[in-house]
Amino acid sequence: ATCCQVLVLSVFNGFEDLVKGLYGDFYADIKIEPAKGKFIAFTPQIVKKITATQGINKLSFFTEEKAVLVNGDYQAIVFLKGVDENYNSVNHLNNHIERGEYNLGTTDAPSIIAGSGISNAVGADPENNLSSLIIYLPNRKATNFNSLDAMHAYNVNTAGIFSVQQEFDDKYAFTNLAFMQYMLDLTPNEYSGVELALQPGADAMKVQKDLLQIMGA
């Protein structure tokens, strides 16, 4: 009986390590988001202070918004996340590309990396150049959000498909940060937040307290 218990516990311990690994590749060590509202401005002085905080290794700014992805008669609501060039140093989405490649495109020629669930829902396929994907994002100046006509629309290319865990695969698509800022009429220093990777052995609680001193409530 004891051997069976050890075996079962070992299986569950292994499963726990797997889950931690998957979530660890998707979530940063620390994230700073606005306490109120959707977006927050980071001045160069604030960024310099955050970067200089002991224990922080890398910063990655992001902008995230709910969007509608349309391919012909098919459509899906997605959380579109625009990330900068440091994203894979803070998270490791590039480890979970199952088809295509990790390529977010440019401001003028954006590409998306879609979760496998989203890919199945709208037929987003990096191997099909004829697929006509349109992304609709809120127009912050519009007063009526009940129609796609009141939203910004842009053609996008599917560069890759990722598969991490169903919770993420059915919800998220990624593109480049500059495109998201352009579509949402944001200034260059406005973001949804910043994700941070800590140095090995860093005290996360101390880093958090130090960041609160810099950022305030």
Side-chain angles (χ1 to χ4, degrees):
T2 304
C3 289
C4 289
Q5 287 179 335
V6 170
L7 176 61
V8 170
L9 287 174
S10 296
V11 170
F12 276 98
N13 286 339
F15 181 72
E16 183 181 7
D17 290 340
L18 173 63
V19 171
K20 283 181 178 178
L22 292 176
Y23 276 73
D25 281 349
F26 201 83
Y27 288 124
D29 295 328
I30 291 178
K31 183 191 290 185
I32 301 174
E33 294 179 310
K36 293 181 180 180
K38 288 186 175 182
F39 306 108
I40 181 172
F42 287 82
T43 65
Q45 293 80 9
I46 290 291
V47 174
K48 187 175 181 180
K49 288 181 179 179
I50 294 173
T51 305
T53 301
Q54 186 175 3
I56 289 179
N57 185 22
K58 288 280 188 178
L59 283 70
S60 177
F61 290 94
F62 70 93
T63 294
E64 181 178 308
E65 182 59 276
K66 192 179 289 186
V68 181
L69 186 61
V70 177
N71 186 9
D73 294 330
Y74 301 97
Q75 65 180 43
I77 295 175
V78 304
F79 281 81
L80 187 62
K81 187 169 183 175
V83 298
D84 65 14
E85 64 278 2
N86 286 337
Y87 185 72
N88 278 325
S89 298
V90 174
N91 301 279
H92 301 286
L93 182 68
N94 57 328
N95 292 340
H96 300 277
I97 304 297
E98 64 173 20
R99 285 191 292 128
E101 62 179 357
Y102 184 91
N103 180 1
L104 303 175
T106 64
T107 311
D108 298 327
S111 295
I112 65 166
I113 300 169
S116 56
I118 293 170
S119 171
N120 292 335
V122 299
D125 186 352
E127 297 164 2
N128 181 7
N129 295 327
L130 298 178
S131 120
S132 178
L133 283 177
I134 303 174
I135 195 79
Y136 290 87
L137 281 155
N139 178 355
R140 297 173 71 193
K141 300 174 183 177
T143 56
N144 174 24
F145 294 105
N146 294 325
S147 169
L148 290 181
D149 294 334
M151 304 176 77
H152 290 310
Y154 210 98
N155 290 94
V156 294
N157 173 59
T158 305
I161 305 298
F162 73 85
S163 181
V164 178
Q165 200 266 352
Q166 187 175 2
E167 176 186 350
F168 307 133
D169 301 345
D170 293 347
K171 181 178 179 180
Y172 281 97
F174 291 80
T175 189
N176 68 84
L177 174 62
F179 170 69
M180 283 292 285
Q181 289 177 310
Y182 166 73
M183 289 290 283
L184 295 172
D185 300 308
L186 300 176
T187 63
N189 69 338
E190 275 187 295
Y191 312 96
S192 296
V194 59
E195 296 181 330
L196 312 172
L198 299 181
Q199 296 172 355
D203 184 340
M205 295 303 294
K206 183 180 185 305
V207 174
Q208 184 184 38
K209 289 179 180 178
D210 291 343
L211 290 172
L212 284 170
Q213 291 294 320
I214 295 171
M215 298 297 301

